[in-house]
Amino acid sequence: MAKRFTKPTINWKELDKLVPPNQRTNFLAFKAKSDNYLRRVQANPPELPKIDWKKYEALVPVAGLVEKFKKEYEGFKVPYPEDKLLSATIDEQWKALQPEIKAYCDSAQKDIEVATKKLEKIKSLPKFEDMTMEMFYDLYPNEALDPVNRPTFWPHDEESQLGYEEKKAKIDAKEAQTKK
């Protein structure tokens, strides 16, 4: 007889941590089905009930019929499926992938650390409502307006500044020079 499962082999707590919020209802439905199946299996006895063959021999008038059934019943074996996928090769492939998985996890952890540092830096800034132009200039000198060293005109974009030439005009001028 095959091995009887007495408890779930799935670590539901760890799996629960990995489920995204939008898939939570599907996960709970799957867990309920799995638990229901396990309860149904455990409700039955682990072994098949024993048959009282002598009782049936006394009740059945056809000679040899009960003996024939007994012989076939005891000779019947439920075939256990053979491993056609070669689990050993799958295990070897899994072991071969472990360094790759570890390297990916390490690089992802480094990315997480960089993002966490950036997030901490952003959280340490004053709120947008509380920040003054001087604070912004001190924090981001390259992005802030600098009327003394880099004066600009409203709306402070490239096209509105003195000395701006359209990019298309520059390209046309270069093409004209190369043709001559």
CSV table of all heavy atoms in Angstrom, one decimal, residues 99-144:
chain,number,residue,atom,x,y,z
A,99,PRO,N,23.2,27.6,-7.8
A,99,PRO,CA,24.1,28.8,-7.8
A,99,PRO,C,23.5,29.9,-8.6
A,99,PRO,O,23.7,31.1,-8.2
A,99,PRO,CB,25.4,28.2,-8.5
A,99,PRO,CG,25.2,26.7,-8.4
A,99,PRO,CD,23.8,26.4,-8.3
A,100,GLU,N,22.8,29.6,-9.7
A,100,GLU,CA,22.2,30.7,-10.5
A,100,GLU,C,21.1,31.4,-9.7
A,100,GLU,O,21.0,32.7,-9.7
A,100,GLU,CB,21.6,30.1,-11.7
A,100,GLU,CG,21.7,30.9,-13.0
A,100,GLU,CD,21.2,30.1,-14.2
A,100,GLU,OE1,21.7,29.0,-14.5
A,100,GLU,OE2,20.2,30.6,-14.8
A,101,ILE,N,20.3,30.7,-9.0
A,101,ILE,CA,19.3,31.3,-8.1
A,101,ILE,C,19.9,32.1,-7.0
A,101,ILE,O,19.4,33.2,-6.7
A,101,ILE,CB,18.4,30.2,-7.5
A,101,ILE,CG1,17.6,29.5,-8.7
A,101,ILE,CG2,17.4,30.7,-6.5
A,101,ILE,CD1,16.9,28.2,-8.2
A,102,LYS,N,21.0,31.6,-6.4
A,102,LYS,CA,21.6,32.3,-5.3
A,102,LYS,C,22.2,33.6,-5.8
A,102,LYS,O,22.1,34.7,-5.2
A,102,LYS,CB,22.7,31.5,-4.7
A,102,LYS,CG,23.4,32.1,-3.5
A,102,LYS,CD,24.2,31.2,-2.7
A,102,LYS,CE,25.0,31.8,-1.6
A,102,LYS,NZ,24.6,33.0,-1.1
A,103,ALA,N,22.8,33.6,-7.0
A,103,ALA,CA,23.4,34.8,-7.6
A,103,ALA,C,22.3,35.8,-7.9
A,103,ALA,O,22.5,37.0,-7.6
A,103,ALA,CB,24.2,34.5,-8.9
A,104,TYR,N,21.2,35.4,-8.4
A,104,TYR,CA,20.1,36.3,-8.7
A,104,TYR,C,19.6,36.9,-7.4
A,104,TYR,O,19.3,38.1,-7.3
A,104,TYR,CB,19.0,35.5,-9.4
A,104,TYR,CG,17.7,36.4,-9.6
A,104,TYR,CD1,17.7,37.4,-10.6
A,104,TYR,CD2,16.6,36.3,-8.8
A,104,TYR,CE1,16.6,38.2,-10.8
A,104,TYR,CE2,15.5,37.1,-9.0
A,104,TYR,CZ,15.5,38.0,-10.0
A,104,TYR,OH,14.4,38.8,-10.1
A,105,CYS,N,19.4,36.0,-6.4
A,105,CYS,CA,18.9,36.6,-5.1
A,105,CYS,C,19.9,37.6,-4.5
A,105,CYS,O,19.4,38.6,-3.9
A,105,CYS,CB,18.7,35.4,-4.1
A,105,CYS,SG,17.3,34.4,-4.6
A,106,ASP,N,21.2,37.3,-4.6
A,106,ASP,CA,22.2,38.2,-4.1
A,106,ASP,C,22.1,39.6,-4.8
A,106,ASP,O,22.1,40.6,-4.2
A,106,ASP,CB,23.6,37.7,-4.2
A,106,ASP,CG,23.8,36.5,-3.3
A,106,ASP,OD1,23.0,36.4,-2.3
A,106,ASP,OD2,24.8,35.7,-3.5
A,107,SER,N,22.0,39.5,-6.2
A,107,SER,CA,21.9,40.8,-6.9
A,107,SER,C,20.6,41.5,-6.6
A,107,SER,O,20.6,42.8,-6.5
A,107,SER,CB,22.0,40.5,-8.4
A,107,SER,OG,20.9,39.9,-8.9
A,108,ALA,N,19.5,40.8,-6.4
A,108,ALA,CA,18.2,41.4,-6.1
A,108,ALA,C,18.3,42.0,-4.7
A,108,ALA,O,17.8,43.1,-4.5
A,108,ALA,CB,17.1,40.4,-6.1
A,109,GLN,N,19.1,41.4,-3.8
A,109,GLN,CA,19.2,41.9,-2.4
A,109,GLN,C,20.0,43.2,-2.5
A,109,GLN,O,19.7,44.2,-1.8
A,109,GLN,CB,19.9,40.9,-1.5
A,109,GLN,CG,20.0,41.3,-0.1
A,109,GLN,CD,18.6,41.5,0.5
A,109,GLN,OE1,17.7,40.8,0.2
A,109,GLN,NE2,18.5,42.5,1.4
A,110,LYS,N,21.1,43.3,-3.4
A,110,LYS,CA,21.8,44.5,-3.5
A,110,LYS,C,20.9,45.6,-4.0
A,110,LYS,O,21.0,46.8,-3.6
A,110,LYS,CB,23.0,44.3,-4.4
A,110,LYS,CG,24.1,43.4,-3.8
A,110,LYS,CD,25.2,43.1,-4.8
A,110,LYS,CE,26.3,42.2,-4.2
A,110,LYS,NZ,27.3,41.8,-5.2
A,111,ASP,N,20.1,45.3,-5.0
A,111,ASP,CA,19.2,46.3,-5.6
A,111,ASP,C,18.2,46.8,-4.5
A,111,ASP,O,17.9,48.0,-4.4
A,111,ASP,CB,18.4,45.7,-6.7
A,111,ASP,CG,19.3,45.4,-8.0
A,111,ASP,OD1,20.4,46.0,-8.0
A,111,ASP,OD2,18.8,44.7,-8.9
A,112,ILE,N,17.8,45.9,-3.7
A,112,ILE,CA,16.8,46.2,-2.6
A,112,ILE,C,17.6,47.2,-1.6
A,112,ILE,O,17.0,48.1,-1.1
A,112,ILE,CB,16.3,45.0,-1.9
A,112,ILE,CG1,15.4,44.2,-2.8
A,112,ILE,CG2,15.7,45.3,-0.5
A,112,ILE,CD1,15.0,42.8,-2.3
A,113,GLU,N,18.8,46.9,-1.3
A,113,GLU,CA,19.6,47.7,-0.4
A,113,GLU,C,19.7,49.1,-0.9
A,113,GLU,O,19.6,50.1,-0.2
A,113,GLU,CB,20.9,47.1,0.0
A,113,GLU,CG,20.8,45.9,0.8
A,113,GLU,CD,22.1,45.1,1.0
A,113,GLU,OE1,23.2,45.6,0.4
A,113,GLU,OE2,22.1,44.0,1.6
A,114,VAL,N,20.1,49.2,-2.2
A,114,VAL,CA,20.2,50.5,-2.9
A,114,VAL,C,18.9,51.3,-2.9
A,114,VAL,O,18.9,52.5,-2.5
A,114,VAL,CB,20.7,50.3,-4.4
A,114,VAL,CG1,20.6,51.6,-5.1
A,114,VAL,CG2,22.2,49.8,-4.3
A,115,ALA,N,17.8,50.6,-3.2
A,115,ALA,CA,16.5,51.2,-3.2
A,115,ALA,C,16.1,51.7,-1.8
A,115,ALA,O,15.5,52.7,-1.6
A,115,ALA,CB,15.5,50.3,-3.8
A,116,THR,N,16.5,50.9,-0.8
A,116,THR,CA,16.1,51.2,0.6
A,116,THR,C,16.9,52.5,1.0
A,116,THR,O,16.3,53.3,1.7
A,116,THR,CB,16.5,50.0,1.5
A,116,THR,OG1,15.8,48.9,1.1
A,116,THR,CG2,16.1,50.3,3.0
A,117,LYS,N,18.2,52.5,0.6
A,117,LYS,CA,18.9,53.7,0.9
A,117,LYS,C,18.3,55.0,0.3
A,117,LYS,O,18.2,56.0,0.9
A,117,LYS,CB,20.4,53.6,0.5
A,117,LYS,CG,21.2,52.6,1.4
A,117,LYS,CD,22.6,52.5,0.9
A,117,LYS,CE,23.3,51.4,1.7
A,117,LYS,NZ,24.7,51.2,1.2
A,118,LYS,N,17.9,54.8,-1.0
A,118,LYS,CA,17.3,56.0,-1.7
A,118,LYS,C,16.0,56.4,-1.0
A,118,LYS,O,15.7,57.5,-0.8
A,118,LYS,CB,17.0,55.6,-3.1
A,118,LYS,CG,18.3,55.6,-4.0
A,118,LYS,CD,17.9,55.4,-5.4
A,118,LYS,CE,19.2,55.3,-6.3
A,118,LYS,NZ,18.8,55.0,-7.7
A,119,LEU,N,15.2,55.4,-0.6
A,119,LEU,CA,14.0,55.6,0.1
A,119,LEU,C,14.2,56.3,1.4
A,119,LEU,O,13.4,57.2,1.8
A,119,LEU,CB,13.2,54.3,0.3
A,119,LEU,CG,11.8,54.4,0.8
A,119,LEU,CD1,10.9,55.2,-0.2
A,119,LEU,CD2,11.2,53.0,0.9
A,120,GLU,N,15.2,55.9,2.2
A,120,GLU,CA,15.5,56.5,3.4
A,120,GLU,C,15.9,58.0,3.2
A,120,GLU,O,15.6,58.9,4.0
A,120,GLU,CB,16.6,55.8,4.2
A,120,GLU,CG,16.2,54.4,4.7
A,120,GLU,CD,17.3,53.6,5.3
A,120,GLU,OE1,18.5,54.1,5.3
A,120,GLU,OE2,17.0,52.5,5.7
A,121,LYS,N,16.7,58.2,2.1
A,121,LYS,CA,17.1,59.6,1.8
A,121,LYS,C,15.9,60.4,1.5
A,121,LYS,O,15.8,61.6,2.0
A,121,LYS,CB,18.1,59.6,0.7
A,121,LYS,CG,18.6,60.9,0.3
A,121,LYS,CD,19.6,60.9,-0.8
A,121,LYS,CE,20.1,62.3,-1.2
A,121,LYS,NZ,21.0,62.3,-2.4
A,122,ILE,N,15.0,59.9,0.7
A,122,ILE,CA,13.8,60.7,0.4
A,122,ILE,C,12.9,60.9,1.6
A,122,ILE,O,12.4,62.0,1.8
A,122,ILE,CB,13.0,59.9,-0.7
A,122,ILE,CG1,13.7,59.9,-2.0
A,122,ILE,CG2,11.6,60.5,-0.9
A,122,ILE,CD1,13.1,59.0,-3.1
A,123,LYS,N,12.8,59.9,2.5
A,123,LYS,CA,12.0,60.1,3.7
A,123,LYS,C,12.6,61.1,4.7
A,123,LYS,O,11.9,61.7,5.5
A,123,LYS,CB,11.8,58.7,4.4
A,123,LYS,CG,10.9,57.8,3.8
A,123,LYS,CD,10.7,56.5,4.5
A,123,LYS,CE,9.7,55.6,3.8
A,123,LYS,NZ,9.6,54.3,4.6
A,124,SER,N,14.0,61.3,4.6
A,124,SER,CA,14.7,62.2,5.5
A,124,SER,C,14.5,63.7,5.0
A,124,SER,O,14.7,64.6,5.8
A,124,SER,CB,16.1,61.9,5.6
A,124,SER,OG,16.8,62.2,4.4
A,125,LEU,N,14.0,63.8,3.8
A,125,LEU,CA,13.8,65.2,3.3
A,125,LEU,C,12.6,65.9,4.0
A,125,LEU,O,11.7,65.2,4.4
A,125,LEU,CB,13.6,65.2,1.8
A,125,LEU,CG,14.7,64.8,0.9
A,125,LEU,CD1,14.3,64.7,-0.5
A,125,LEU,CD2,15.9,65.8,1.0
A,126,PRO,N,12.6,67.2,4.1
A,126,PRO,CA,11.4,67.8,4.6
A,126,PRO,C,10.3,67.7,3.6
A,126,PRO,O,10.4,67.4,2.4
A,126,PRO,CB,11.8,69.3,4.7
A,126,PRO,CG,13.1,69.5,4.0
A,126,PRO,CD,13.7,68.1,3.8
A,127,LYS,N,9.1,67.8,4.2
A,127,LYS,CA,7.9,67.7,3.3
A,127,LYS,C,7.9,68.8,2.2
A,127,LYS,O,8.5,69.9,2.4
A,127,LYS,CB,6.6,67.8,4.1
A,127,LYS,CG,6.4,66.7,5.1
A,127,LYS,CD,5.1,66.9,5.8
A,127,LYS,CE,4.8,65.8,6.8
A,127,LYS,NZ,3.6,66.0,7.6
A,128,PHE,N,7.2,68.5,1.1
A,128,PHE,CA,7.2,69.4,0.0
A,128,PHE,C,6.6,70.8,0.5
A,128,PHE,O,7.1,71.8,0.1
A,128,PHE,CB,6.4,68.8,-1.1
A,128,PHE,CG,6.2,69.8,-2.3
A,128,PHE,CD1,7.3,70.0,-3.2
A,128,PHE,CD2,5.0,70.4,-2.5
A,128,PHE,CE1,7.1,70.8,-4.3
A,128,PHE,CE2,4.9,71.3,-3.6
A,128,PHE,CZ,5.9,71.5,-4.5
A,129,GLU,N,5.6,70.7,1.3
A,129,GLU,CA,4.9,71.9,1.8
A,129,GLU,C,5.8,72.8,2.6
A,129,GLU,O,5.7,74.0,2.7
A,129,GLU,CB,3.6,71.6,2.5
A,129,GLU,CG,2.6,70.9,1.7
A,129,GLU,CD,2.8,69.4,1.7
A,129,GLU,OE1,3.5,68.8,2.6
A,129,GLU,OE2,2.3,68.7,0.8
A,130,ASP,N,6.8,72.1,3.3
A,130,ASP,CA,7.6,72.8,4.3
A,130,ASP,C,8.9,73.3,3.7
A,130,ASP,O,9.6,74.1,4.2
A,130,ASP,CB,7.9,71.9,5.5
A,130,ASP,CG,6.7,71.5,6.2
A,130,ASP,OD1,5.7,72.2,6.2
A,130,ASP,OD2,6.7,70.4,6.9
A,131,MET,N,9.3,72.8,2.5
A,131,MET,CA,10.5,73.1,1.8
A,131,MET,C,10.5,74.5,1.2
A,131,MET,O,9.6,74.9,0.5
A,131,MET,CB,10.9,72.1,0.8
A,131,MET,CG,12.3,72.2,0.3
A,131,MET,SD,12.8,71.0,-0.9
A,131,MET,CE,12.8,69.5,0.0
A,132,THR,N,11.6,75.3,1.4
A,132,THR,CA,11.7,76.6,0.8
A,132,THR,C,12.7,76.5,-0.4
A,132,THR,O,13.3,75.4,-0.6
A,132,THR,CB,12.3,77.6,1.8
A,132,THR,OG1,13.7,77.1,2.2
A,132,THR,CG2,11.5,77.7,3.1
A,133,MET,N,12.7,77.5,-1.2
A,133,MET,CA,13.6,77.5,-2.4
A,133,MET,C,15.1,77.4,-1.9
A,133,MET,O,15.9,76.8,-2.6
A,133,MET,CB,13.4,78.8,-3.2
A,133,MET,CG,12.0,78.8,-3.9
A,133,MET,SD,11.8,77.5,-5.0
A,133,MET,CE,12.8,78.0,-6.4
A,134,GLU,N,15.4,78.0,-0.8
A,134,GLU,CA,16.8,77.9,-0.3
A,134,GLU,C,17.1,76.5,0.1
A,134,GLU,O,18.2,76.0,-0.2
A,134,GLU,CB,17.0,78.9,0.9
A,134,GLU,CG,17.0,80.3,0.5
A,134,GLU,CD,15.5,80.9,0.4
A,134,GLU,OE1,14.6,80.2,0.8
A,134,GLU,OE2,15.4,82.0,-0.2
A,135,MET,N,16.2,75.8,0.7
A,135,MET,CA,16.4,74.4,1.1
A,135,MET,C,16.6,73.6,-0.1
A,135,MET,O,17.5,72.7,-0.2
A,135,MET,CB,15.2,73.8,1.9
A,135,MET,CG,15.1,74.3,3.3
A,135,MET,SD,13.6,73.6,4.0
A,135,MET,CE,13.8,73.9,5.7
A,136,PHE,N,15.8,73.8,-1.1
A,136,PHE,CA,15.9,73.0,-2.4
A,136,PHE,C,17.2,73.3,-3.0
A,136,PHE,O,17.9,72.4,-3.5
A,136,PHE,CB,14.7,73.4,-3.3
A,136,PHE,CG,14.7,72.6,-4.6
A,136,PHE,CD1,14.2,71.3,-4.6
A,136,PHE,CD2,15.2,73.1,-5.8
A,136,PHE,CE1,14.2,70.5,-5.7
A,136,PHE,CE2,15.2,72.3,-6.9
A,136,PHE,CZ,14.7,71.0,-6.9
A,137,TYR,N,17.7,74.5,-3.0
A,137,TYR,CA,19.0,74.9,-3.6
A,137,TYR,C,20.1,74.2,-2.9
A,137,TYR,O,21.1,73.7,-3.5
A,137,TYR,CB,19.2,76.4,-3.6
A,137,TYR,CG,20.5,76.8,-4.3
A,137,TYR,CD1,20.6,76.8,-5.6
A,137,TYR,CD2,21.6,77.1,-3.5
A,137,TYR,CE1,21.8,77.2,-6.2
A,137,TYR,CE2,22.8,77.5,-4.1
A,137,TYR,CZ,22.9,77.5,-5.4
A,137,TYR,OH,24.1,77.8,-6.0
A,138,ASP,N,20.0,74.1,-1.5
A,138,ASP,CA,21.1,73.5,-0.8
A,138,ASP,C,21.1,72.0,-1.0
A,138,ASP,O,22.1,71.4,-1.1
A,138,ASP,CB,20.8,73.7,0.7
A,138,ASP,CG,21.1,75.2,1.1
A,138,ASP,OD1,21.8,75.9,0.3
A,138,ASP,OD2,20.6,75.6,2.2
A,139,LEU,N,19.9,71.4,-1.2
A,139,LEU,CA,19.8,69.9,-1.4
A,139,LEU,C,20.2,69.5,-2.8
A,139,LEU,O,20.8,68.5,-3.0
A,139,LEU,CB,18.4,69.4,-1.0
A,139,LEU,CG,18.0,69.5,0.5
A,139,LEU,CD1,16.6,69.2,0.6
A,139,LEU,CD2,18.9,68.5,1.3
A,140,TYR,N,19.7,70.3,-3.8
A,140,TYR,CA,19.9,70.0,-5.2
A,140,TYR,C,20.4,71.2,-5.9
A,140,TYR,O,19.7,71.9,-6.7
A,140,TYR,CB,18.6,69.6,-5.8
A,140,TYR,CG,17.9,68.4,-5.1
A,140,TYR,CD1,16.8,68.6,-4.3
A,140,TYR,CD2,18.4,67.1,-5.3
A,140,TYR,CE1,16.2,67.5,-3.6
A,140,TYR,CE2,17.8,66.0,-4.7
A,140,TYR,CZ,16.7,66.2,-3.9
A,140,TYR,OH,16.1,65.2,-3.2
A,141,PRO,N,21.7,71.5,-5.8
A,141,PRO,CA,22.2,72.7,-6.4
A,141,PRO,C,22.2,72.7,-7.9
A,141,PRO,O,22.1,73.7,-8.6
A,141,PRO,CB,23.7,72.8,-5.9
A,141,PRO,CG,24.0,71.5,-5.4
A,141,PRO,CD,22.7,70.8,-5.0
A,142,ASN,N,22.3,71.5,-8.6
A,142,ASN,CA,22.3,71.5,-10.0
A,142,ASN,C,20.9,71.7,-10.6
A,142,ASN,O,20.7,72.1,-11.8
A,142,ASN,CB,22.8,70.1,-10.5
A,142,ASN,CG,24.3,70.0,-10.2
A,142,ASN,OD1,25.0,71.0,-10.1
A,142,ASN,ND2,24.8,68.8,-10.0
A,143,GLU,N,19.8,71.3,-9.9
A,143,GLU,CA,18.5,71.4,-10.4
A,143,GLU,C,17.8,72.7,-10.0
A,143,GLU,O,16.9,73.1,-10.7
A,143,GLU,CB,17.6,70.2,-9.9
A,143,GLU,CG,17.9,68.9,-10.5
A,143,GLU,CD,19.1,68.1,-9.8
A,143,GLU,OE1,19.4,68.5,-8.7
A,143,GLU,OE2,19.6,67.2,-10.4
A,144,ALA,N,18.3,73.3,-9.0
A,144,ALA,CA,17.6,74.5,-8.5
A,144,ALA,C,17.9,75.7,-9.3
A,144,ALA,O,19.0,75.7,-10.0
A,144,ALA,CB,18.0,74.8,-7.0
